[in-house]
């Protein structure tokens, strides 16, 4: 198990994710600040069976390809506030694919972003427990191609 808290993460190099979580890792994420990362990089990236728990509220001050990009793994957070300062840009704010799941129970979003709200594809699930499809920050509608679910 790994816990990350009390840091600001900003990486100008393309293709280098702020947090990259892989096979078997259990990440507990505390209060952090996500600054800008390269155009083809994500703030939180997972491409293998893993578990990410959001333990605290955090701030987003810079853009990324995606804020959360969860493939195969699981990300969960309850009663968390995501504070966006400025207007960070994303291709999609959240992406879930390959049976990956994002479960955000009773989330609060403070601030705005540009770009797509979400993409749920290849049986990926984004569960905001009843929040409207316009709830996540972004200026473009979310999409559900190839079996994805937004609930």
């Amino acid at each position: 198990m790994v816990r990350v808290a009390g840091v600001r993460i900003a990486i100008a190099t393309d293709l280098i994710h702020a947090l990259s979580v892989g096979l078997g890792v259990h990440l507990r994420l505390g209060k952090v600040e996500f600054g800008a990362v390269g155009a083809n990089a994500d703030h939180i990236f997972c491409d293998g069976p893993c578990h990410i728990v959001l333990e605290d509220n955090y701030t987003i001050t810079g853009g990324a390809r995606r804020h959360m990009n969860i493939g195969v793994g699981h990300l969960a957070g309850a009663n968390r506030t995501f504070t966006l300062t400025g207007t960070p840009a994303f291709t999609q704010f959240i992406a879930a694919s390959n049976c990956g799941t994002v479960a955000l129970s009773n989330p609060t979003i403070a601030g705005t972003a540009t770009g797509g709200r979400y993409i749920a594809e290849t049986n990926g699930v984004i569960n905001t427990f009843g929040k409207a499809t316009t709830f996540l920050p972004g200026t473009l509608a979310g999409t559900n191609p190839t079996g994805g679910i937004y609930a």
Side-chain angles (χ1 to χ4, degrees):
M1 178 174 56
V2 176
R3 185 166 196 279
V4 175
V7 296
R8 179 180 189 274
I9 305 170
I11 303 168
T13 306
D14 200 16
L15 299 172
I16 305 292
H17 305 295
L19 293 172
S20 185
V21 183
L23 183 61
V25 172
H26 186 113
L27 173 66
R28 302 184 80 73
L29 187 61
K31 186 176 291 281
V32 298
E33 178 185 333
F34 288 101
V37 296
N40 293 303
D42 306 317
H43 286 147
I44 302 170
F45 175 80
C46 166
D47 69 347
C50 68
H51 190 83
I52 302 167
V53 176
L54 305 179
E55 292 186 325
D56 209 335
N57 305 327
Y58 60 79
T59 304
I60 302 165
T61 59
R65 176 181 58 180
R66 295 172 174 139
H67 174 60
M68 298 174 185
N69 186 359
I70 308 301
V72 182
H74 177 71
L75 182 144
N79 304 310
R80 297 292 161 239
T81 298
F82 308 98
T83 302
L84 290 80
T85 59
T87 307
F90 300 95
T91 302
Q92 292 95 16
F93 187 73
I94 297 179
S97 62
N98 301 321
C99 299
T101 58
V102 175
L104 300 174
S105 173
N106 197 35
T108 300
I109 305 286
T112 61
T114 62
R117 290 181 172 90
Y118 66 87
I119 183 169
E121 59 186 339
T122 56
N123 298 323
V125 175
I126 299 170
N127 190 354
T128 60
F129 297 86
K131 299 285 187 183
T133 57
T134 56
F135 172 73
L136 295 172
T139 52
L140 301 172
T143 59
N144 302 52
T146 62
I149 297 171
Y150 178 96

